[in-house]
Amino acid sequence: MESGLVKLPALGHTLERLGPQFKESLKAFWAPGLWWEELDWAYMGVIDGHNVRAVRRAVREALAAQRPVVVHCATIKGKGFAPAEDGGLEGMEKWHAAKPKSIANGAPAPAAAAPAGAATPPPAYTQVFGEALVREAQRDERVLGITAAMNSGTGLNILQRELPERYFDVGIAEQQAVLLACGLALQGCRPVVAIYSTFLQRAYDQIVHDVCLQKLNVTFVMDRAGLVGDDGPTHHGVFDIPYLRCLPNIVLMAPRDEAMLVHMLRTALTYDGGPTAIRYPRGEAVGVPIPDEPSVIPVGTGEILREAGNGVTSASHYSATGRGSARHSLPPTFWPTAGWR
């Protein structure tokens, strides 16, 4: 049949040239493990990941093989729990990490009623950032939001809902998120890359070579900075200060409250000297009023909040307003005095 096709007038030469590629594409489509077999790896799949017996059988066979083996299992996120399984992306995200007592009798547990007269808790930093980013995007059409499969966890779901054309999710590919931001920044956009602190380190090479050395106006927003409680040790954002502070041309910021977070976001998006990064913790903010119109903070200055004894000064960097306190040109790094403990 193949020899007959290549003899067809007009089409024969094309079929002869493209035929082998088409044949390999068909093989790959019908036999997904062919690529592994060509590398001399054994391939087993696709295995129903919810069928424990099938998975155990496949693992036993793989262990018995005298060669590298890929066991390909397919699962459904939230399998067996209808709100997660049938709720689409929103349901999967909501039940990604169910908390204790959040499920009762196979259904979502009713929310506990707040005690009578209880004060309304402050908003989470994540929510404050998401809402502030929408306002910044409405103010400046160059502002865009980018994440790497951390939609609601970074607050970018708010931007997705309000301005979907300005929202980008590249999937679990932090390096691609940073490189996308670089390309957009080179075209005059003001990209905001929102990624958990612990996962931003996956894109360290891109941050160094493609952002900092090029002095591109990319803003990194690191959610889950510091210890994160229930999220566990893999999510503790405790390394971003040392791994970013040593890089050239980048401005690092850490807000003391939700109002300062809003001011810092405005500052980052109006700063033209290169990349900026903002880190904030998981959970509720402090509870201070959020400004209607953010201020641009003078980078590298600080605000004396309280004078203390023994030569120790309580200071806040990157102050938005004096608020009655004296403004000082403080160096961006403090070192404890000799008597500090």
Side-chain angles (χ1 to χ4, degrees):
M1 179 179 177
E2 185 175 339
S3 60
L5 289 174
V6 298
K7 295 178 181 178
L8 291 174
L11 295 176
H13 178 69
T14 303
L15 290 173
E16 185 177 18
R17 180 169 54 88
L18 299 179
Q21 299 178 25
F22 180 68
K23 185 164 59 176
E24 291 300 317
S25 299
L26 283 178
K27 287 182 180 179
F29 178 78
W30 292 108
L34 184 64
W35 186 81
W36 293 102
E37 296 288 350
E38 291 178 347
L39 295 176
D40 201 28
W41 285 49
Y43 172 86
M44 301 176 62
V46 177
I47 311 297
D48 180 1
H50 301 292
N51 187 330
V52 177
R53 290 183 179 179
V55 172
R56 293 183 63 182
R57 182 168 56 251
V59 171
R60 281 197 301 267
E61 294 176 4
L63 292 174
Q66 300 299 312
R67 57 189 292 202
V69 181
V70 173
V71 179
H72 184 181
C73 297
T75 60
I76 298 174
K77 201 173 186 70
K79 178 71 173 179
F81 185 57
E85 190 173 352
D86 302 332
L89 180 60
E90 183 177 345
M92 288 189 289
E93 286 223 8
K94 179 179 180 180
W95 296 101
H96 172 68
K99 301 294 186 294
K101 299 182 180 179
S102 62
I103 299 175
N105 300 320
T120 302
Y125 277 106
T126 302
Q127 178 184 346
V128 173
F129 160 68
E131 293 174 350
L133 182 60
V134 169
R135 292 193 293 272
E136 293 296 333
Q138 292 170 338
R139 176 187 63 85
D140 185 347
E141 64 180 7
R142 300 175 300 161
V143 174
L144 308 164
I146 304 171
T147 191
M150 285 163 260
N151 174 285
S152 59
T154 60
L156 283 196
N157 59 317
I158 303 174
L159 179 67
Q160 180 189 25
R161 183 182 65 240
E162 299 296 331
L163 297 169
E165 71 281 1
R166 312 271 282 281
Y167 163 83
F168 300 89
D169 187 341
V170 302
I172 306 177
E174 286 80 1
Q175 294 144 311
Q176 170 63 17
V178 175
L179 287 176
L180 173 61
C182 292
L184 292 169
L186 287 169
Q187 297 302 312
C189 297
R190 299 305 300 246
V192 177
V193 182
I195 294 176
Y196 292 178
S197 165
T198 188
F199 295 140
L200 186 61
Q201 60 202 29
R202 294 173 175 169
Y204 195 65
D205 186 63
Q206 286 70 29
I207 296 171
V208 176
H209 292 118
D210 301 294
V211 180
C212 290
L213 293 185
Q214 312 302 325
K215 294 185 70 173
L216 298 184
N217 293 327
V218 174
T219 297
F220 297 101
V221 176
M222 296 170 286
D223 203 300
R224 267 73 167 174
L227 302 181
V228 296
D230 290 343
D231 283 351
T234 59
H235 285 53
H236 290 328
V238 294
F239 303 114
D240 59 89
I241 292 178
Y243 76 61
L244 289 177
R245 194 177 176 199
C246 60
L247 300 182
N249 306 320
I250 188 170
V251 176
L252 307 182
M253 310 185 206
R256 65 172 181 253
D257 52 43
E258 58 266 50
M260 195 58 70
L261 171 57
V262 173
H263 292 309
M264 287 180 174
L265 183 61
R266 170 63 62 85
T267 302
L269 292 174
T270 56
Y271 181 71
D272 285 323
T276 54
I278 305 172
R279 70 188 308 268
Y280 56 81
R282 177 181 187 267
E284 293 179 357
V286 178
V288 302
I290 297 176
D292 294 328
E293 182 58 31
S295 302
V296 175
I297 305 169
V299 174
T301 63
E303 177 184 358
I304 300 295
L305 300 179
R306 182 175 63 252
E307 296 283 358
N310 300 323
V312 178
T313 301
S314 174
S316 172
H317 288 294
Y318 310 110
S319 172
T321 61
R323 290 192 182 141
S325 299
R327 182 70 57 79
H328 297 265
S329 295
L330 299 173
T333 302
F334 284 94
W335 192 258
T337 61
W340 183 83
R341 290 291 185 270

